[in-house]
Amino acid sequence: MLLNFAKAGFTVQHKNPIDLVTDADHAAEQCIIDHIRRHFPTHHTLAEERGADAHVPSRYRWIIDPLDGTTNFAHGFPVYAISIGVECDGQVIIGVVYDPSRDELFTAEAGHGAYLSGKLISVSQTPRLGEALTVTGFAYDIRDTPNNNLDYFVRFALKAQGVRRTGSAALDLCYVAAGRFDGFWEIKLNPWDMAAGTLIVREAGGHVTDLRGNEHSIYQPELVASNGRIHDEMLEVIRGNLRP
């Protein structure tokens, strides 16, 4: 569906000067929710554009980002994905991220490993931050707040072998899981950005925490994800600029 919109055209609206939404976002989200409703009518959903739908009690919640990387999509830059995580009793048990441009499907089930298009994947073996390729992102309020990740970015740029910014947190996490990146951090994310990707990283043997090294929840806005080997070094870089 997203590729069809990319070829045929779409309309763009602005939530704020740099936060976009397209009719492709809305159409993809509706398609996903309609499919869930047909097969799991009692399950809850939490989706980026329409928010939470919790009209009946359920142990299950589907957490949906129909188009992660909307700005990329709107500019024709082919780095965007669909991300879907499934919670049971508050724990993410299924994660799926699909990159239509590359036809790459990242999947994970809790306790059963992580896969890329059916093949088992694992995080990298990079032992030190100085040899690592890292990735991050910036929130849509970057122009309006000093808590905009630029301070961390500068510190990592001086410590890591490289730092990238792709514009899709879901794919950044999957690329850590697949060993394409060694580490990822970001400070202002939403549950739909992280639900699938964090499970995929963990199931690929990676490590996910908050910025202080504590247990991570998808309902907090910050995270550090890595191959595990460089995690302490990443936390040390972040610690130098942590706000109270």
PDB file of all heavy atoms in Angstrom, residues 1-10 22-35 38 64-67 73 80-82 98-101 103:
ATOM      1  N   MET A   1       0.813  -1.208   0.000  1.00  0.00           N
ATOM      2  CA  MET A   1       0.000   0.000   0.000  1.00  0.00           C
ATOM      3  C   MET A   1       0.857   1.273   0.000  1.00  0.00           C
ATOM      4  O   MET A   1       0.614   2.204  -0.755  1.00  0.00           O
ATOM      5  CB  MET A   1      -0.938   0.015   1.212  1.00  0.00           C
ATOM      6  CG  MET A   1      -1.720   1.321   1.357  1.00  0.00           C
ATOM      7  SD  MET A   1      -2.776   1.379   2.793  1.00  0.00           S
ATOM      8  CE  MET A   1      -4.066   0.263   2.267  1.00  0.00           C
ATOM      9  N   LEU A   2       1.884   1.316   0.865  1.00  0.00           N
ATOM     10  CA  LEU A   2       2.725   2.508   0.943  1.00  0.00           C
ATOM     11  C   LEU A   2       3.441   2.763  -0.378  1.00  0.00           C
ATOM     12  O   LEU A   2       3.575   3.904  -0.815  1.00  0.00           O
ATOM     13  CB  LEU A   2       3.732   2.384   2.083  1.00  0.00           C
ATOM     14  CG  LEU A   2       3.148   2.351   3.496  1.00  0.00           C
ATOM     15  CD1 LEU A   2       4.269   2.254   4.522  1.00  0.00           C
ATOM     16  CD2 LEU A   2       2.289   3.583   3.766  1.00  0.00           C
ATOM     17  N   LEU A   3       3.917   1.698  -1.006  1.00  0.00           N
ATOM     18  CA  LEU A   3       4.592   1.868  -2.290  1.00  0.00           C
ATOM     19  C   LEU A   3       3.632   2.390  -3.351  1.00  0.00           C
ATOM     20  O   LEU A   3       4.019   3.174  -4.223  1.00  0.00           O
ATOM     21  CB  LEU A   3       5.228   0.556  -2.738  1.00  0.00           C
ATOM     22  CG  LEU A   3       6.428   0.075  -1.916  1.00  0.00           C
ATOM     23  CD1 LEU A   3       6.950  -1.240  -2.474  1.00  0.00           C
ATOM     24  CD2 LEU A   3       7.534   1.119  -1.889  1.00  0.00           C
ATOM     25  N   ASN A   4       2.374   1.965  -3.284  1.00  0.00           N
ATOM     26  CA  ASN A   4       1.380   2.478  -4.226  1.00  0.00           C
ATOM     27  C   ASN A   4       1.183   3.978  -4.047  1.00  0.00           C
ATOM     28  O   ASN A   4       1.102   4.732  -5.022  1.00  0.00           O
ATOM     29  CB  ASN A   4       0.048   1.748  -4.038  1.00  0.00           C
ATOM     30  CG  ASN A   4       0.102   0.310  -4.511  1.00  0.00           C
ATOM     31  OD1 ASN A   4       0.938  -0.042  -5.335  1.00  0.00           O
ATOM     32  ND2 ASN A   4      -0.780  -0.524  -3.994  1.00  0.00           N
ATOM     33  N   PHE A   5       1.097   4.431  -2.783  1.00  0.00           N
ATOM     34  CA  PHE A   5       0.985   5.858  -2.521  1.00  0.00           C
ATOM     35  C   PHE A   5       2.235   6.597  -3.002  1.00  0.00           C
ATOM     36  O   PHE A   5       2.151   7.689  -3.566  1.00  0.00           O
ATOM     37  CB  PHE A   5       0.776   6.113  -1.024  1.00  0.00           C
ATOM     38  CG  PHE A   5      -0.660   6.097  -0.596  1.00  0.00           C
ATOM     39  CD1 PHE A   5      -1.208   4.971  -0.012  1.00  0.00           C
ATOM     40  CD2 PHE A   5      -1.463   7.210  -0.770  1.00  0.00           C
ATOM     41  CE1 PHE A   5      -2.532   4.943   0.401  1.00  0.00           C
ATOM     42  CE2 PHE A   5      -2.790   7.202  -0.376  1.00  0.00           C
ATOM     43  CZ  PHE A   5      -3.332   6.067   0.214  1.00  0.00           C
ATOM     44  N   ALA A   6       3.409   5.991  -2.755  1.00  0.00           N
ATOM     45  CA  ALA A   6       4.659   6.631  -3.162  1.00  0.00           C
ATOM     46  C   ALA A   6       4.696   6.851  -4.673  1.00  0.00           C
ATOM     47  O   ALA A   6       5.224   7.862  -5.156  1.00  0.00           O
ATOM     48  CB  ALA A   6       5.849   5.787  -2.718  1.00  0.00           C
ATOM     49  N   LYS A   7       4.126   5.920  -5.432  1.00  0.00           N
ATOM     50  CA  LYS A   7       4.127   6.032  -6.888  1.00  0.00           C
ATOM     51  C   LYS A   7       3.011   6.936  -7.402  1.00  0.00           C
ATOM     52  O   LYS A   7       3.203   7.717  -8.341  1.00  0.00           O
ATOM     53  CB  LYS A   7       3.983   4.639  -7.500  1.00  0.00           C
ATOM     54  CG  LYS A   7       5.178   3.723  -7.262  1.00  0.00           C
ATOM     55  CD  LYS A   7       4.908   2.317  -7.786  1.00  0.00           C
ATOM     56  CE  LYS A   7       6.063   1.380  -7.498  1.00  0.00           C
ATOM     57  NZ  LYS A   7       5.777  -0.017  -7.922  1.00  0.00           N
ATOM     58  N   ALA A   8       1.833   6.830  -6.781  1.00  0.00           N
ATOM     59  CA  ALA A   8       0.650   7.524  -7.305  1.00  0.00           C
ATOM     60  C   ALA A   8       0.500   8.940  -6.766  1.00  0.00           C
ATOM     61  O   ALA A   8      -0.185   9.771  -7.369  1.00  0.00           O
ATOM     62  CB  ALA A   8      -0.606   6.710  -6.989  1.00  0.00           C
ATOM     63  N   GLY A   9       1.140   9.219  -5.619  1.00  0.00           N
ATOM     64  CA  GLY A   9       1.017  10.534  -5.009  1.00  0.00           C
ATOM     65  C   GLY A   9       0.182  10.501  -3.741  1.00  0.00           C
ATOM     66  O   GLY A   9      -0.592   9.565  -3.512  1.00  0.00           O
ATOM     67  N   PHE A  10       0.316  11.547  -2.926  1.00  0.00           N
ATOM     68  CA  PHE A  10      -0.343  11.605  -1.630  1.00  0.00           C
ATOM     69  C   PHE A  10      -0.426  13.059  -1.197  1.00  0.00           C
ATOM     70  O   PHE A  10       0.252  13.930  -1.743  1.00  0.00           O
ATOM     71  CB  PHE A  10       0.438  10.781  -0.588  1.00  0.00           C
ATOM     72  CG  PHE A  10       1.914  11.064  -0.596  1.00  0.00           C
ATOM     73  CD1 PHE A  10       2.447  12.118   0.133  1.00  0.00           C
ATOM     74  CD2 PHE A  10       2.775  10.291  -1.367  1.00  0.00           C
ATOM     75  CE1 PHE A  10       3.801  12.394   0.097  1.00  0.00           C
ATOM     76  CE2 PHE A  10       4.145  10.555  -1.403  1.00  0.00           C
ATOM     77  CZ  PHE A  10       4.655  11.613  -0.670  1.00  0.00           C
ATOM     78  N   THR A  22       0.657  12.113   6.296  1.00  0.00           N
ATOM     79  CA  THR A  22       0.129  12.012   4.938  1.00  0.00           C
ATOM     80  C   THR A  22      -1.118  11.144   4.932  1.00  0.00           C
ATOM     81  O   THR A  22      -1.406  10.435   5.906  1.00  0.00           O
ATOM     82  CB  THR A  22       1.167  11.389   3.978  1.00  0.00           C
ATOM     83  OG1 THR A  22       1.300   9.989   4.286  1.00  0.00           O
ATOM     84  CG2 THR A  22       2.519  12.079   4.102  1.00  0.00           C
ATOM     85  N   ASP A  23      -1.840  11.190   3.821  1.00  0.00           N
ATOM     86  CA  ASP A  23      -2.993  10.298   3.719  1.00  0.00           C
ATOM     87  C   ASP A  23      -2.549   8.842   3.643  1.00  0.00           C
ATOM     88  O   ASP A  23      -3.318   7.924   3.956  1.00  0.00           O
ATOM     89  CB  ASP A  23      -3.898  10.669   2.547  1.00  0.00           C
ATOM     90  CG  ASP A  23      -3.183  10.805   1.234  1.00  0.00           C
ATOM     91  OD1 ASP A  23      -1.933  10.777   1.202  1.00  0.00           O
ATOM     92  OD2 ASP A  23      -3.868  10.956   0.203  1.00  0.00           O
ATOM     93  N   ALA A  24      -1.294   8.600   3.281  1.00  0.00           N
ATOM     94  CA  ALA A  24      -0.771   7.230   3.316  1.00  0.00           C
ATOM     95  C   ALA A  24      -0.699   6.712   4.742  1.00  0.00           C
ATOM     96  O   ALA A  24      -0.985   5.538   5.002  1.00  0.00           O
ATOM     97  CB  ALA A  24       0.609   7.181   2.657  1.00  0.00           C
ATOM     98  N   ASP A  25      -0.293   7.576   5.707  1.00  0.00           N
ATOM     99  CA  ASP A  25      -0.297   7.185   7.119  1.00  0.00           C
ATOM    100  C   ASP A  25      -1.687   6.724   7.537  1.00  0.00           C
ATOM    101  O   ASP A  25      -1.851   5.652   8.141  1.00  0.00           O
ATOM    102  CB  ASP A  25       0.105   8.372   8.012  1.00  0.00           C
ATOM    103  CG  ASP A  25       1.532   8.836   7.846  1.00  0.00           C
ATOM    104  OD1 ASP A  25       1.833   9.490   6.827  1.00  0.00           O
ATOM    105  OD2 ASP A  25       2.343   8.562   8.733  1.00  0.00           O
ATOM    106  N   HIS A  26      -2.673   7.557   7.238  1.00  0.00           N
ATOM    107  CA  HIS A  26      -4.040   7.255   7.676  1.00  0.00           C
ATOM    108  C   HIS A  26      -4.582   6.001   6.992  1.00  0.00           C
ATOM    109  O   HIS A  26      -5.227   5.154   7.643  1.00  0.00           O
ATOM    110  CB  HIS A  26      -4.950   8.447   7.384  1.00  0.00           C
ATOM    111  CG  HIS A  26      -4.674   9.648   8.230  1.00  0.00           C
ATOM    112  ND1 HIS A  26      -4.866   9.680   9.594  1.00  0.00           N
ATOM    113  CD2 HIS A  26      -4.204  10.876   7.892  1.00  0.00           C
ATOM    114  CE1 HIS A  26      -4.543  10.862  10.075  1.00  0.00           C
ATOM    115  NE2 HIS A  26      -4.135  11.608   9.056  1.00  0.00           N
ATOM    116  N   ALA A  27      -4.335   5.855   5.710  1.00  0.00           N
ATOM    117  CA  ALA A  27      -4.852   4.687   4.987  1.00  0.00           C
ATOM    118  C   ALA A  27      -4.202   3.396   5.473  1.00  0.00           C
ATOM    119  O   ALA A  27      -4.884   2.376   5.667  1.00  0.00           O
ATOM    120  CB  ALA A  27      -4.618   4.864   3.487  1.00  0.00           C
ATOM    121  N   ALA A  28      -2.886   3.434   5.681  1.00  0.00           N
ATOM    122  CA  ALA A  28      -2.198   2.236   6.166  1.00  0.00           C
ATOM    123  C   ALA A  28      -2.665   1.868   7.569  1.00  0.00           C
ATOM    124  O   ALA A  28      -2.882   0.692   7.872  1.00  0.00           O
ATOM    125  CB  ALA A  28      -0.687   2.463   6.147  1.00  0.00           C
ATOM    126  N   GLU A  29      -2.825   2.878   8.409  1.00  0.00           N
ATOM    127  CA  GLU A  29      -3.291   2.615   9.776  1.00  0.00           C
ATOM    128  C   GLU A  29      -4.686   2.002   9.772  1.00  0.00           C
ATOM    129  O   GLU A  29      -4.958   1.022  10.491  1.00  0.00           O
ATOM    130  CB  GLU A  29      -3.277   3.910  10.576  1.00  0.00           C
ATOM    131  CG  GLU A  29      -3.633   3.718  12.043  1.00  0.00           C
ATOM    132  CD  GLU A  29      -3.382   4.975  12.836  1.00  0.00           C
ATOM    133  OE1 GLU A  29      -2.200   5.244  13.161  1.00  0.00           O
ATOM    134  OE2 GLU A  29      -4.344   5.712  13.135  1.00  0.00           O
ATOM    135  N   GLN A  30      -5.586   2.545   8.959  1.00  0.00           N
ATOM    136  CA  GLN A  30      -6.942   2.004   8.894  1.00  0.00           C
ATOM    137  C   GLN A  30      -6.938   0.569   8.374  1.00  0.00           C
ATOM    138  O   GLN A  30      -7.674  -0.288   8.884  1.00  0.00           O
ATOM    139  CB  GLN A  30      -7.813   2.880   8.003  1.00  0.00           C
ATOM    140  CG  GLN A  30      -9.295   2.523   8.067  1.00  0.00           C
ATOM    141  CD  GLN A  30      -9.860   2.726   9.455  1.00  0.00           C
ATOM    142  OE1 GLN A  30      -9.772   3.818  10.008  1.00  0.00           O
ATOM    143  NE2 GLN A  30     -10.449   1.676  10.031  1.00  0.00           N
ATOM    144  N   CYS A  31      -6.123   0.293   7.383  1.00  0.00           N
ATOM    145  CA  CYS A  31      -6.031  -1.064   6.829  1.00  0.00           C
ATOM    146  C   CYS A  31      -5.566  -2.054   7.895  1.00  0.00           C
ATOM    147  O   CYS A  31      -6.135  -3.148   8.040  1.00  0.00           O
ATOM    148  CB  CYS A  31      -5.077  -1.061   5.645  1.00  0.00           C
ATOM    149  SG  CYS A  31      -4.821  -2.681   4.891  1.00  0.00           S
ATOM    150  N   ILE A  32      -4.555  -1.668   8.664  1.00  0.00           N
ATOM    151  CA  ILE A  32      -4.028  -2.552   9.705  1.00  0.00           C
ATOM    152  C   ILE A  32      -5.078  -2.792  10.787  1.00  0.00           C
ATOM    153  O   ILE A  32      -5.323  -3.935  11.191  1.00  0.00           O
ATOM    154  CB  ILE A  32      -2.750  -1.944  10.313  1.00  0.00           C
ATOM    155  CG1 ILE A  32      -1.616  -1.935   9.290  1.00  0.00           C
ATOM    156  CG2 ILE A  32      -2.320  -2.728  11.561  1.00  0.00           C
ATOM    157  CD1 ILE A  32      -0.450  -1.050   9.681  1.00  0.00           C
ATOM    158  N   ILE A  33      -5.727  -1.730  11.232  1.00  0.00           N
ATOM    159  CA  ILE A  33      -6.719  -1.868  12.304  1.00  0.00           C
ATOM    160  C   ILE A  33      -7.928  -2.668  11.828  1.00  0.00           C
ATOM    161  O   ILE A  33      -8.462  -3.504  12.565  1.00  0.00           O
ATOM    162  CB  ILE A  33      -7.117  -0.485  12.841  1.00  0.00           C
ATOM    163  CG1 ILE A  33      -5.928   0.108  13.615  1.00  0.00           C
ATOM    164  CG2 ILE A  33      -8.351  -0.576  13.732  1.00  0.00           C
ATOM    165  CD1 ILE A  33      -6.148   1.521  14.096  1.00  0.00           C
ATOM    166  N   ASP A  34      -8.358  -2.447  10.602  1.00  0.00           N
ATOM    167  CA  ASP A  34      -9.477  -3.237  10.065  1.00  0.00           C
ATOM    168  C   ASP A  34      -9.125  -4.725  10.062  1.00  0.00           C
ATOM    169  O   ASP A  34      -9.961  -5.579  10.399  1.00  0.00           O
ATOM    170  CB  ASP A  34      -9.800  -2.794   8.642  1.00  0.00           C
ATOM    171  CG  ASP A  34     -10.503  -1.445   8.594  1.00  0.00           C
ATOM    172  OD1 ASP A  34     -10.955  -0.967   9.651  1.00  0.00           O
ATOM    173  OD2 ASP A  34     -10.586  -0.870   7.487  1.00  0.00           O
ATOM    174  N   HIS A  35      -7.893  -5.043   9.692  1.00  0.00           N
ATOM    175  CA  HIS A  35      -7.458  -6.447   9.673  1.00  0.00           C
ATOM    176  C   HIS A  35      -7.452  -7.024  11.083  1.00  0.00           C
ATOM    177  O   HIS A  35      -7.910  -8.158  11.297  1.00  0.00           O
ATOM    178  CB  HIS A  35      -6.067  -6.539   9.053  1.00  0.00           C
ATOM    179  CG  HIS A  35      -5.640  -7.937   8.746  1.00  0.00           C
ATOM    180  ND1 HIS A  35      -6.086  -8.631   7.643  1.00  0.00           N
ATOM    181  CD2 HIS A  35      -4.811  -8.790   9.418  1.00  0.00           C
ATOM    182  CE1 HIS A  35      -5.553  -9.847   7.635  1.00  0.00           C
ATOM    183  NE2 HIS A  35      -4.773  -9.956   8.704  1.00  0.00           N
ATOM    184  N   ARG A  38     -11.027  -7.688  12.278  1.00  0.00           N
ATOM    185  CA  ARG A  38     -11.647  -8.875  11.689  1.00  0.00           C
ATOM    186  C   ARG A  38     -11.212 -10.150  12.397  1.00  0.00           C
ATOM    187  O   ARG A  38     -12.018 -11.069  12.587  1.00  0.00           O
ATOM    188  CB  ARG A  38     -11.310  -8.967  10.201  1.00  0.00           C
ATOM    189  CG  ARG A  38     -12.083  -8.022   9.308  1.00  0.00           C
ATOM    190  CD  ARG A  38     -12.003  -8.409   7.850  1.00  0.00           C
ATOM    191  NE  ARG A  38     -10.634  -8.363   7.356  1.00  0.00           N
ATOM    192  CZ  ARG A  38     -10.064  -7.284   6.841  1.00  0.00           C
ATOM    193  NH1 ARG A  38     -10.739  -6.145   6.760  1.00  0.00           N
ATOM    194  NH2 ARG A  38      -8.821  -7.322   6.397  1.00  0.00           N
ATOM    195  N   ILE A  64       0.808   0.232  17.004  1.00  0.00           N
ATOM    196  CA  ILE A  64       0.941   0.343  15.550  1.00  0.00           C
ATOM    197  C   ILE A  64       1.524   1.696  15.142  1.00  0.00           C
ATOM    198  O   ILE A  64       1.010   2.752  15.528  1.00  0.00           O
ATOM    199  CB  ILE A  64      -0.439   0.188  14.891  1.00  0.00           C
ATOM    200  CG1 ILE A  64      -1.092  -1.134  15.304  1.00  0.00           C
ATOM    201  CG2 ILE A  64      -0.348   0.323  13.376  1.00  0.00           C
ATOM    202  CD1 ILE A  64      -2.607  -1.118  15.202  1.00  0.00           C
ATOM    203  N   ASP A  65       2.575   1.639  14.362  1.00  0.00           N
ATOM    204  CA  ASP A  65       3.034   2.820  13.619  1.00  0.00           C
ATOM    205  C   ASP A  65       2.889   2.483  12.140  1.00  0.00           C
ATOM    206  O   ASP A  65       3.660   1.688  11.601  1.00  0.00           O
ATOM    207  CB  ASP A  65       4.485   3.152  13.951  1.00  0.00           C
ATOM    208  CG  ASP A  65       4.896   4.521  13.417  1.00  0.00           C
ATOM    209  OD1 ASP A  65       4.239   4.998  12.479  1.00  0.00           O
ATOM    210  OD2 ASP A  65       5.871   5.098  13.928  1.00  0.00           O
ATOM    211  N   PRO A  66       1.899   3.061  11.481  1.00  0.00           N
ATOM    212  CA  PRO A  66       1.623   2.659  10.091  1.00  0.00           C
ATOM    213  C   PRO A  66       2.671   3.158   9.100  1.00  0.00           C
ATOM    214  O   PRO A  66       2.779   2.622   7.997  1.00  0.00           O
ATOM    215  CB  PRO A  66       0.270   3.296   9.812  1.00  0.00           C
ATOM    216  CG  PRO A  66       0.248   4.513  10.687  1.00  0.00           C
ATOM    217  CD  PRO A  66       0.970   4.094  11.948  1.00  0.00           C
ATOM    218  N   LEU A  67       3.421   4.192   9.499  1.00  0.00           N
ATOM    219  CA  LEU A  67       4.444   4.742   8.608  1.00  0.00           C
ATOM    220  C   LEU A  67       5.492   5.445   9.472  1.00  0.00           C
ATOM    221  O   LEU A  67       5.376   6.630   9.776  1.00  0.00           O
ATOM    222  CB  LEU A  67       3.822   5.710   7.596  1.00  0.00           C
ATOM    223  CG  LEU A  67       4.747   6.437   6.610  1.00  0.00           C
ATOM    224  CD1 LEU A  67       5.773   5.497   5.986  1.00  0.00           C
ATOM    225  CD2 LEU A  67       3.930   7.132   5.547  1.00  0.00           C
ATOM    226  N   PHE A  73       9.406   9.490   3.734  1.00  0.00           N
ATOM    227  CA  PHE A  73       8.424   9.079   2.732  1.00  0.00           C
ATOM    228  C   PHE A  73       7.955  10.283   1.909  1.00  0.00           C
ATOM    229  O   PHE A  73       7.894  10.220   0.665  1.00  0.00           O
ATOM    230  CB  PHE A  73       7.233   8.416   3.435  1.00  0.00           C
ATOM    231  CG  PHE A  73       6.109   8.011   2.532  1.00  0.00           C
ATOM    232  CD1 PHE A  73       6.168   6.817   1.826  1.00  0.00           C
ATOM    233  CD2 PHE A  73       4.986   8.812   2.394  1.00  0.00           C
ATOM    234  CE1 PHE A  73       5.124   6.429   0.995  1.00  0.00           C
ATOM    235  CE2 PHE A  73       3.942   8.443   1.566  1.00  0.00           C
ATOM    236  CZ  PHE A  73       4.010   7.248   0.853  1.00  0.00           C
ATOM    237  N   TYR A  80      11.684   4.039   5.387  1.00  0.00           N
ATOM    238  CA  TYR A  80      10.482   4.110   6.202  1.00  0.00           C
ATOM    239  C   TYR A  80       9.944   2.697   6.367  1.00  0.00           C
ATOM    240  O   TYR A  80      10.332   1.781   5.635  1.00  0.00           O
ATOM    241  CB  TYR A  80       9.433   5.032   5.593  1.00  0.00           C
ATOM    242  CG  TYR A  80       9.133   4.783   4.128  1.00  0.00           C
ATOM    243  CD1 TYR A  80       8.202   3.827   3.733  1.00  0.00           C
ATOM    244  CD2 TYR A  80       9.785   5.510   3.133  1.00  0.00           C
ATOM    245  CE1 TYR A  80       7.930   3.603   2.390  1.00  0.00           C
ATOM    246  CE2 TYR A  80       9.519   5.294   1.790  1.00  0.00           C
ATOM    247  CZ  TYR A  80       8.585   4.347   1.430  1.00  0.00           C
ATOM    248  OH  TYR A  80       8.317   4.127   0.107  1.00  0.00           O
ATOM    249  N   ALA A  81       9.068   2.515   7.346  1.00  0.00           N
ATOM    250  CA  ALA A  81       8.635   1.157   7.664  1.00  0.00           C
ATOM    251  C   ALA A  81       7.284   1.174   8.356  1.00  0.00           C
ATOM    252  O   ALA A  81       6.834   2.204   8.874  1.00  0.00           O
ATOM    253  CB  ALA A  81       9.671   0.477   8.562  1.00  0.00           C
ATOM    254  N   ILE A  82       6.669   0.014   8.378  1.00  0.00           N
ATOM    255  CA  ILE A  82       5.482  -0.259   9.187  1.00  0.00           C
ATOM    256  C   ILE A  82       5.943  -1.038  10.412  1.00  0.00           C
ATOM    257  O   ILE A  82       6.699  -2.004  10.292  1.00  0.00           O
ATOM    258  CB  ILE A  82       4.463  -1.099   8.403  1.00  0.00           C
ATOM    259  CG1 ILE A  82       4.044  -0.367   7.132  1.00  0.00           C
ATOM    260  CG2 ILE A  82       3.251  -1.443   9.257  1.00  0.00           C
ATOM    261  CD1 ILE A  82       3.436  -1.272   6.085  1.00  0.00           C
ATOM    262  N   TYR A  98       8.232  -3.947   8.853  1.00  0.00           N
ATOM    263  CA  TYR A  98       8.360  -4.223   7.420  1.00  0.00           C
ATOM    264  C   TYR A  98       8.838  -2.985   6.685  1.00  0.00           C
ATOM    265  O   TYR A  98       8.260  -1.903   6.795  1.00  0.00           O
ATOM    266  CB  TYR A  98       7.029  -4.679   6.836  1.00  0.00           C
ATOM    267  CG  TYR A  98       7.113  -4.976   5.356  1.00  0.00           C
ATOM    268  CD1 TYR A  98       7.987  -5.944   4.874  1.00  0.00           C
ATOM    269  CD2 TYR A  98       6.330  -4.285   4.440  1.00  0.00           C
ATOM    270  CE1 TYR A  98       8.083  -6.227   3.515  1.00  0.00           C
ATOM    271  CE2 TYR A  98       6.407  -4.553   3.086  1.00  0.00           C
ATOM    272  CZ  TYR A  98       7.285  -5.524   2.624  1.00  0.00           C
ATOM    273  OH  TYR A  98       7.378  -5.780   1.282  1.00  0.00           O
ATOM    274  N   ASP A  99       9.917  -3.152   5.939  1.00  0.00           N
ATOM    275  CA  ASP A  99      10.481  -2.102   5.088  1.00  0.00           C
ATOM    276  C   ASP A  99      10.056  -2.395   3.655  1.00  0.00           C
ATOM    277  O   ASP A  99      10.628  -3.262   2.994  1.00  0.00           O
ATOM    278  CB  ASP A  99      12.001  -2.106   5.220  1.00  0.00           C
ATOM    279  CG  ASP A  99      12.691  -1.118   4.291  1.00  0.00           C
ATOM    280  OD1 ASP A  99      12.020  -0.519   3.438  1.00  0.00           O
ATOM    281  OD2 ASP A  99      13.924  -0.961   4.412  1.00  0.00           O
ATOM    282  N   PRO A 100       9.047  -1.681   3.142  1.00  0.00           N
ATOM    283  CA  PRO A 100       8.548  -2.004   1.794  1.00  0.00           C
ATOM    284  C   PRO A 100       9.535  -1.664   0.687  1.00  0.00           C
ATOM    285  O   PRO A 100       9.526  -2.305  -0.361  1.00  0.00           O
ATOM    286  CB  PRO A 100       7.268  -1.172   1.684  1.00  0.00           C
ATOM    287  CG  PRO A 100       7.449  -0.048   2.643  1.00  0.00           C
ATOM    288  CD  PRO A 100       8.274  -0.593   3.765  1.00  0.00           C
ATOM    289  N   SER A 101      10.393  -0.673   0.889  1.00  0.00           N
ATOM    290  CA  SER A 101      11.331  -0.284  -0.152  1.00  0.00           C
ATOM    291  C   SER A 101      12.338  -1.385  -0.445  1.00  0.00           C
ATOM    292  O   SER A 101      12.762  -1.576  -1.589  1.00  0.00           O
ATOM    293  CB  SER A 101      12.071   0.994   0.247  1.00  0.00           C
ATOM    294  OG  SER A 101      11.172   2.069   0.416  1.00  0.00           O
ATOM    295  N   ASP A 103      11.791  -4.609   0.763  1.00  0.00           N
ATOM    296  CA  ASP A 103      11.073  -5.861   0.969  1.00  0.00           C
ATOM    297  C   ASP A 103      11.762  -6.686   2.065  1.00  0.00           C
ATOM    298  O   ASP A 103      12.003  -7.885   1.902  1.00  0.00           O
ATOM    299  CB  ASP A 103      10.976  -6.664  -0.334  1.00  0.00           C
ATOM    300  CG  ASP A 103       9.985  -7.821  -0.232  1.00  0.00           C
ATOM    301  OD1 ASP A 103       9.073  -7.747   0.611  1.00  0.00           O
ATOM    302  OD2 ASP A 103      10.142  -8.802  -0.980  1.00  0.00           O
TER     303      ASP A 103
END
